[in-house]
């Protein structure tokens, strides 16, 4: 047999599946040996020589890791073909397995089976609702395991909050798109006319609207929830999940416990389940407690506390397990990937000794994470997995092997938060853990990671503990990139205030001034931004010089503010100066230079120099794709700007195509409700209007206006632009009264937020005058004079 050829064939087949196939073979020369006892010393010599090779050492280490970690199963599409990678072959929505100790609930299971096997011409929807900890999720999982053969596909969706739900839905569409969106998933399910099942678990949030996910012409939907209102989605199958019966509760407690079931044990078990009020979750935790033989208590079967249970001497990981639980429940929303801990560990390497002394809990975090790092400071995934298994044995965590995420039952989190001592200090440590892992770079991955941290940051804020001063900038930027401008500004305001009071370094003070000015601009508070930016620019020139990159960035930001308040000539002059200096100091392809060039192109557009704007925008877009990548937020901004120039030039088909492309990308990269996404949707509505697609424009603009009002506030400049666009759509549809009323509202809001002399305010006054002229039927000469008087009144009033 040709071993080399066979080995090459195996390597080709398993090249997409690391950790499955490993070859160990000695070097050439062994085949000539006559393997006899007298020749063993030569065999040993060859083997030792082979083992000393560095690549062999790496292969053996890798093999040992793979044997310990046991990679996921693989699916062979063709017996003689290439084995697909786990990401390609693993079903994107495999449900977790139900607990092996599932007991009872036969009535509920029969009701579900009857409903989902019944004849129906539309989607079958079932709801399991009841108190938390009653076992709703386990009933759903047990039903799925028993009846999985009748469904073409099963999709598991964690619906504990909107962000988590949308993340799981995107996974469903993974096979249909390189970078799937929620819309991709919904379209996929809509067109797939098969008997699939969507399982929405823990849909307890009362603000979560499930209607878009349950209205199908086919398929099946199962929901578990504590919210009774969800029953309205399933009038034919809403099942109340009550506490366990006495016999089932006792059986669950003693299942898997190595103990003889004497009458005394049964009587004691009955007392325990009564004390636990027959709640399935509490009983299952008590069962895990018994199984691990943790003893030495006056009441050995009471629910364990984080402190006195996990710290019980059971081995070297006991204390670390306790710390892990504390960091998990206080810093993470219901689920997170284990990579969050690894990310924090890597950031720790750059912290100084001084930093560890000044930041609360930093030394505690360092000690905790050092448990999982090797001598050369690399992440020890084996030891981390060992810790996870330790905690899993208590049923305190759930671990999803599909995406390597850990999760806690909502009741476990609430209970742990309530019972843990020094809760505020623990939350402070958790915020430190999170803040250190927030990246500060400018790549697409850095941006996406900051946004991904938002749910966990918001969860840690619920305890009312303030973020430490050291991390205010990181946290504030994460909120800003998530489109939460008001919260972002509050972090920067506090940072600036504390920097001024503490006598922080001059540069740190300027950094917070810059961030706060940007926050003001995001909020539409342009005059506040102008004053702060002008002060910052002067201070930076004094401290760092006129050509320092930070000074140039501040000047570019100030030019943006000038544009926002309508001082376009000032903006043009300053932007041209910044572009010239940035090109000389940093080079044409530097991201900061590209930003100043993009800003200059926007000023060209505002001044009506559309050909100059077109040429410069095309150049910036090409360079940003090369330098930053095609899906970086700055690249997407350039695409939006270019689409705007096409509109200004009357090239509406080009604008339409580019805007639609940008919207799909922004929804996927930034999210549907991100302000940048909404701004592009508003631009698309304008293009629809220019093309005469009034109904499309009306529908999209109403949607955008509702979202902008909620996300940005009604006085934000982008909200007012969307409101004004909607008024023009009313006018084109012949609804002149509605159009006039909405324009007048926009004018009042613009006077208040932008000032009476801002170009947008002036435009609103002119538009209202035009509507007044066309609205009144011109007849007699006195009537014409009254019309002119009304027009004059609007102009006079606008500039008071």
């Amino acid at each position: 047999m040709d071993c080399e050829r066979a080995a090459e064939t195996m390597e080709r087949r398993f090249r997409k599946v690391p950790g499955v196939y490993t070859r160990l073979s000695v070097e050439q020369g062994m085949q000539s040996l006559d393997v006899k006892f007298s020749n063993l010393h030569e065999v040993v010599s060859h083997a030792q020589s082979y083992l000393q090779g560095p690549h062999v050492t790496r292969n053996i280490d890798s093999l040992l890791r793979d044997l310990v970690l046991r990679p996921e199963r693989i699916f062979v599409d063709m017996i003689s073909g290439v084995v697909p990678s786990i990401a390609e072959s693993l079903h994107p929505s495999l449900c977790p397995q139900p607990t092996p100790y599932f007991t009872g609930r036969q009535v509920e299971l029969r009701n579900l089976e009857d409903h989902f096997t019944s004849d129906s011409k539309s989607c079958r929807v079932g709801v399991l609702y009841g108190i938390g900890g009653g076992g709703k999720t386990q009933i759903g999982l047990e039903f799925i395991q028993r009846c999985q053969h009748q469904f073409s596909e099963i999709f598991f969706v964690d619906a504990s909050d909107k962000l988590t739900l949308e993340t799981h839905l995107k996974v469903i569409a993974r096979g249909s798109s390189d970078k799937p969106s929620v819309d991709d998933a919904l379209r996929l399910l809509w067109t797939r006319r098969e008997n699939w099942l969507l399982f929405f678990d823990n849909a307890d949030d009362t603000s979560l609207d499930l209607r878009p996910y349950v209205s199908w012409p086919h398929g099946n939907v199962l929901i578990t929830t504590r919210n009774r209102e969800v029953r309205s989605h399933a009038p034919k199958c809403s099942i109340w999940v009550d506490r366990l019966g006495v016999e089932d509760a006792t059986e669950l407690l003693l299942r898997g416990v190595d103990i003889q079931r004497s009458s005394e044990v049964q009587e004691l078990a009955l007392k325990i389940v009564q004390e636990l009020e027959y709640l399935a979750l509490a009983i299952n935790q008590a069962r895990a407690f018994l199984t691990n033989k943790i003893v030495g208590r006056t009441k050995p079967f009471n629910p364990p506390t984080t402190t006195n249970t996990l710290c019980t001497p059971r081995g070297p990981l006991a204390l670390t397990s306790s710390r892990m639980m504390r960091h998990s429940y206080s810093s993470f929303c219901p689920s997170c990937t284990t990579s969050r801990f690894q990310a924090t560990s890597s950031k720790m390497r750059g912290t100084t000794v001084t930093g560890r002394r000044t930041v609360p809990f930093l030394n505690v975090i360092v000690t905790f994470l050092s448990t999982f790092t090797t001598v050369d400071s690399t992440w020890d995934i084996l030891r981390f997995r060992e810790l996870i298994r330790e905690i899993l044995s208590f049923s305190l965590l759930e671990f999803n092997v599909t995406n390597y995420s850990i999760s806690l039952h909502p009741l476990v989190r609430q209970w742990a938060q309530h019972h843990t001592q020094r809760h505020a200090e623990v939350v402070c440590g958790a915020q430190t853990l999170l803040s250190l892992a927030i990246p500060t770079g400018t790549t697409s991955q850095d941006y996406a990671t900051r946004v991904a941290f938002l749910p966990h940051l918001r969860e840690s804020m619920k305890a009312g503990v303030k973020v430490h001063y050291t991390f205010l900038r990181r946290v504030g930027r994460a909120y800003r990139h998530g489109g939460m401008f008001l919260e972002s500004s509050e972090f920067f305001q506090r940072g600036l205030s504390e920097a001024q009071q503490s006598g922080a370094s001059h540069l740190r003070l300027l950094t917070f001034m810059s961030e706060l000015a940007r926050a003001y601009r995001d909020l539409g508070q342009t005059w506040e931004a102008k004053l702060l930016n002008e002060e910052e620019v002067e201070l930076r020139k004094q401290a760092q010089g006129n050509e320092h990159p930070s000074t140039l960035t501040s000047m570019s930001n100030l030019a943006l503010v000038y544009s926002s308040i309508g001082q376009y000539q000032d903006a043009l002059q300053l932007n041209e100066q910044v572009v010239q200096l940035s090109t000389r100091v940093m080079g044409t392809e530097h991201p900061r230079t590209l930003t100043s060039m993009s800003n200059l192109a926007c000023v060209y557009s505002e001044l009506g120099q559309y050909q100059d704007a077109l040429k410069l925008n095309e150049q910036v877009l090409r360079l940003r794709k090369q330098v930053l990548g095609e899906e970086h937020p700055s690249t997407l901004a350039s695409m939006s700007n270019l689409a705007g120039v096409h509109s200004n030039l009357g090239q509406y088909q080009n604008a339409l195509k580019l805007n639609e492309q940008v919207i799909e990308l922004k929804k996927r990269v930034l999210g549907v409700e991100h302000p940048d996404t909404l701004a592009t949707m508003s631009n698309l509505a304008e293009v629809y209007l220019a093309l005469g697609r009034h109904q499309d424009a009306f529908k999209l603009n109403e949607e955008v206006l509702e979202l902008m009002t909620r996300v940005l506030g009604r006085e934000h400049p982008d909200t007012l632009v969307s409101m004004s666009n909607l008024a023009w759509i009313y006018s084109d549809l012949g609804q002149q009264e509605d159009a006039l009323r909405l324009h007048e509202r926009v004018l009042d809001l613009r006077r208040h937020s932008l000032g009476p002399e801002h170009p947008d305010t002036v435009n609103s006054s002119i538009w209202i005058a035009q509507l007044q002229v066309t609205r009144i039927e011109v007849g007699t000469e006195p009537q014409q004079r009254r019309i002119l008087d009304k027009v004059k009144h609007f102009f006079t009033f606008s500039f008071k």
Side-chain angles (χ1 to χ4, degrees), residues 84 240 257 263 268 718:
W240 167 255
V257 180
S263 59
L268 186 56
D718 290 347

Side-chain angles (χ1 to χ4, degrees), residues 297 363 583 620 635 720 759:
R297 296 172 170 279
N363 267 325
T583 303
V620 172
T635 307
L720 296 178

Side-chain angles (χ1 to χ4, degrees), residues 293-344:
K293 299 183 177 65
I294 300 177
V295 295
R297 296 172 170 279
T298 308
K299 296 181 179 181
F301 303 121
N302 281 344
T305 65
T306 305
T307 304
N308 57 22
T309 297
L310 292 176
C311 292
T312 302
R314 295 186 60 252
L317 284 179
L319 184 58
T320 308
S321 299
S322 173
R323 289 170 179 160
M324 173 72 172
M325 283 299 297
R326 290 166 184 245
H327 296 316
S328 297
Y329 86 71
S330 56
S331 63
F332 298 126
C333 60
S335 68
C336 76
T337 59
T338 56
S339 60
R340 296 287 180 264
F341 291 95
Q342 183 175 354
T344 308

Side-chain angles (χ1 to χ4, degrees), residues 534-764:
E534 287 177 337
E535 181 182 359
E536 181 210 349
V537 168
E538 290 305 313
L539 291 174
R540 283 198 185 276
K541 286 181 178 179
Q542 296 171 18
Q544 297 176 293
N546 290 357
E547 297 186 3
H548 191 278
S550 295
T551 305
L552 297 177
T553 299
S554 297
M555 293 168 65
S556 183
N557 292 337
L558 179 58
L560 277 177
V561 176
Y562 286 154
S563 291
S564 299
I565 59 179
Q567 298 179 8
Y568 297 123
Q569 289 299 329
D570 293 334
L572 177 65
Q573 182 180 357
L574 189 53
N575 262 315
E576 288 177 335
Q577 181 185 355
V578 171
V579 169
Q580 182 182 4
L581 290 172
S582 296
T583 303
R584 187 174 76 242
V585 174
M586 294 178 285
T588 305
E589 296 186 359
H590 192 281
R592 293 190 183 187
T593 305
L594 295 176
T595 297
S596 61
M597 292 168 65
S598 178
N599 295 343
L600 178 58
C602 290
V603 176
Y604 284 154
S605 290
E606 295 291 351
L607 291 171
Q609 301 175 21
Y610 299 130
Q611 289 298 333
D612 293 334
L614 179 66
K615 181 179 179 181
L616 190 53
N617 266 312
E618 288 176 337
Q619 180 186 358
V620 172
L621 178 57
R622 183 180 67 256
L623 291 172
R624 276 180 166 170
K625 284 183 177 180
Q626 294 173 3
V627 176
L628 303 175
E630 298 204 358
E631 295 193 357
H632 190 278
S634 296
T635 307
L636 300 181
S638 288
M639 294 173 69
S640 292
N641 294 340
L642 184 57
V645 177
H646 282 309
S647 290
N648 291 332
L649 289 169
Q651 301 168 1
Y652 297 120
Q653 289 299 332
N654 292 338
L656 175 67
K657 182 179 179 180
L658 195 52
N659 268 315
E660 289 178 337
Q661 181 184 354
V662 174
I663 286 174
E664 289 302 313
L665 289 169
K666 284 189 174 181
K667 283 182 177 179
R668 189 164 66 234
V669 176
L670 306 178
V672 177
E673 295 188 2
H674 192 281
D676 289 352
T677 308
L678 298 179
T680 306
M681 292 169 66
S682 181
N683 294 341
L684 179 59
E686 288 190 52
V687 175
Y688 283 156
L689 187 60
L691 290 171
R693 296 169 56 175
H694 297 100
Q695 289 300 330
D696 291 336
F698 180 76
K699 182 179 179 181
L700 183 57
N701 223 115
E702 275 200 324
E703 178 188 355
V704 171
L705 180 57
E706 180 184 351
L707 290 171
M708 280 188 169
T709 303
R710 186 174 77 240
V711 175
L712 302 177
R714 67 172 188 167
E715 292 191 5
H716 191 278
D718 290 347
T719 307
L720 296 178
V721 168
S722 180
M723 196 180 298
S724 179
N725 291 342
L726 183 59
W728 281 117
I729 296 172
Y730 280 138
S731 179
D732 287 352
L733 291 173
Q735 302 176 24
Q736 301 299 333
E737 294 295 334
D738 293 332
L740 181 61
R741 191 160 44 246
L742 196 52
H743 270 308
E744 288 174 342
R745 183 182 175 192
V746 172
L747 176 61
D748 289 339
L749 292 172
R750 279 178 168 165
R751 281 201 194 104
H752 181 262
S753 61
L754 302 178
E757 296 185 9
H758 190 280
D760 289 350
T761 309
V762 175
N763 285 336
S764 289

Side-chain angles (χ1 to χ4, degrees), residues 16-17 72-77 83-92 94 174:
K16 293 185 178 182
V17 197
E72 299 304 313
R73 59 179 177 169
I74 59 175
F75 302 88
V76 183
D77 290 342
V83 178
S85 68
I86 294 172
E88 293 170 346
S89 58
L90 188 64
H91 196 291
L94 281 176
R174 188 171 58 190

Side-chain angles (χ1 to χ4, degrees), residues 205-226:
D205 189 347
T206 55
S207 64
L208 188 63
D209 185 7
L210 291 175
R211 286 176 296 178
Y213 314 118
V214 298
S215 304
W216 307 95
H218 49 268
N220 306 272
V221 176
L222 177 60
I223 306 170
T224 67
T225 179
R226 284 185 281 170

Side-chain angles (χ1 to χ4, degrees), residues 9-185:
T9 301
M10 294 295 287
E11 287 177 358
R12 281 197 304 270
R13 292 192 62 205
F14 291 97
R15 69 177 182 270
K16 293 185 178 182
V17 197
V20 175
Y21 170 73
T22 302
R23 184 194 183 202
L24 298 174
S25 174
V26 297
E27 302 292 342
Q28 290 291 325
M30 282 290 291
Q31 68 269 27
S32 63
L33 288 177
D34 184 11
V35 184
K36 295 181 179 178
F37 184 78
S38 59
N39 294 334
L40 286 183
H41 66 281
E42 294 186 51
V43 176
V44 172
S45 177
H46 273 279
Q48 287 179 340
S49 176
Y50 173 72
L51 290 172
Q52 288 174 359
H55 69 284
V56 178
T57 303
R58 289 194 298 269
N59 286 345
I60 292 176
D61 290 344
S62 176
L63 176 60
L64 288 174
R65 285 175 180 270
D66 296 335
L67 289 173
V68 173
L69 294 177
R70 297 182 181 183
E72 299 304 313
R73 59 179 177 169
I74 59 175
F75 302 88
V76 183
D77 290 342
M78 297 173 61
I79 195 65
S80 61
V82 176
V83 178
S85 68
I86 294 172
E88 293 170 346
S89 58
L90 188 64
H91 196 291
S93 306
L94 281 176
C95 283
Q97 293 296 311
T99 173
Y101 308 105
F102 186 88
T103 305
R105 304 298 195 185
Q106 298 306 309
V107 174
E108 291 87 345
L109 289 170
R110 279 197 301 272
N111 289 339
L112 286 175
E113 189 169 353
D114 291 343
H115 175 66
F116 284 102
T117 56
S118 62
D119 292 333
S120 177
K121 294 182 180 180
S122 60
C123 180
R124 304 179 191 88
V125 182
V127 171
L128 294 168
Y129 70 102
I131 57 175
K136 301 180 292 294
T137 298
Q138 291 301 322
I139 294 173
L141 294 176
E142 182 70 17
F143 162 71
I144 289 172
Q145 186 179 60
R146 294 186 184 187
C147 302
Q148 57 184 323
H149 60 278
Q150 74 183 49
F151 301 113
S152 59
E153 291 169 292
I154 299 169
F155 303 105
F156 177 80
V157 178
D158 183 349
S160 51
D161 57 58
K162 184 177 181 181
L163 182 61
T164 308
L165 181 147
E166 290 182 346
T167 301
H168 277 73
L169 285 175
K170 290 176 185 177
V171 174
I172 294 175
R174 188 171 58 190
S176 63
S177 174
D178 292 335
K179 296 199 174 174
S181 65
V182 174
D183 290 339
D184 290 332

Side-chain angles (χ1 to χ4, degrees), residues 315-594:
L317 284 179
L319 184 58
T320 308
S321 299
S322 173
R323 289 170 179 160
M324 173 72 172
M325 283 299 297
R326 290 166 184 245
H327 296 316
S328 297
Y329 86 71
S330 56
S331 63
F332 298 126
C333 60
S335 68
C336 76
T337 59
T338 56
S339 60
R340 296 287 180 264
F341 291 95
Q342 183 175 354
T344 308
S345 177
S346 64
K347 294 293 181 184
M348 276 297 187
R349 299 172 203 158
T351 57
T352 61
V353 175
T354 303
R356 296 180 187 183
R357 289 173 181 167
T358 57
V359 180
F361 259 77
L362 192 52
N363 267 325
V364 177
I365 302 298
V366 171
T367 303
F368 168 67
L369 291 175
S370 65
T371 309
F372 313 110
T373 53
T374 60
V375 177
D376 60 351
S377 298
T378 57
W379 184 252
D380 190 343
I381 187 63
L382 295 179
R383 187 152 179 79
F384 188 76
R385 296 282 176 80
E386 187 180 354
L387 171 68
I388 294 294
R389 284 194 292 270
E390 171 89 5
I391 302 176
L392 287 174
S393 67
F394 292 93
S395 294
L396 293 171
L397 280 179
E398 293 179 5
F399 181 62
N400 188 335
V401 296
T402 306
N403 59 6
Y404 295 104
S405 66
I406 57 176
S407 59
L408 293 82
H409 191 283
L411 292 185
V412 174
R413 293 187 71 258
Q414 293 172 11
W415 181 86
Q417 288 173 347
H418 181 71
H419 285 80
T420 299
Q421 299 175 354
R422 298 188 302 177
H423 176 61
E425 292 182 18
V426 174
V427 173
C428 185
Q431 288 179 349
T432 301
L433 183 75
L434 283 168
S435 301
L436 281 166
I438 299 174
T440 57
T442 59
T443 66
S444 296
Q445 183 60 42
D446 291 331
Y447 186 95
T449 302
R450 282 192 288 270
V451 175
F453 269 88
L454 266 181
H456 309 299
L457 286 168
R458 297 184 71 184
E459 187 68 28
S460 70
M461 303 297 170
K462 291 180 180 178
V465 178
K466 289 185 176 181
V467 176
H468 189 263
Y469 166 71
T470 309
F471 306 120
L472 284 172
R473 188 186 180 206
R474 290 183 182 223
V475 175
R477 292 182 74 185
Y479 273 79
R480 184 180 77 212
H481 289 154
M484 303 174 67
F485 297 143
L486 182 59
E487 292 87 343
S488 172
S489 69
E490 291 171 355
F491 286 114
F492 296 135
Q493 281 177 331
R494 186 185 145 208
L496 180 59
S497 175
E498 293 191 13
Q500 291 170 334
Q501 294 173 10
S502 64
S505 68
H506 201 55
L507 295 182
R508 189 167 184 81
L509 185 69
L510 292 174
T511 296
F512 276 114
M513 290 178 70
S514 176
E515 296 286 6
L516 183 56
R518 166 70 185 271
Y520 284 149
R521 195 172 79 242
D522 290 335
L523 288 167
Q525 299 173 13
T526 49
W527 291 101
E528 290 87 343
K530 175 178 178 291
L531 294 174
L532 197 56
N533 258 137
E534 287 177 337
E535 181 182 359
E536 181 210 349
V537 168
E538 290 305 313
L539 291 174
R540 283 198 185 276
K541 286 181 178 179
Q542 296 171 18
Q544 297 176 293
N546 290 357
E547 297 186 3
H548 191 278
S550 295
T551 305
L552 297 177
T553 299
S554 297
M555 293 168 65
S556 183
N557 292 337
L558 179 58
L560 277 177
V561 176
Y562 286 154
S563 291
S564 299
I565 59 179
Q567 298 179 8
Y568 297 123
Q569 289 299 329
D570 293 334
L572 177 65
Q573 182 180 357
L574 189 53
N575 262 315
E576 288 177 335
Q577 181 185 355
V578 171
V579 169
Q580 182 182 4
L581 290 172
S582 296
T583 303
R584 187 174 76 242
V585 174
M586 294 178 285
T588 305
E589 296 186 359
H590 192 281
R592 293 190 183 187
T593 305
L594 295 176

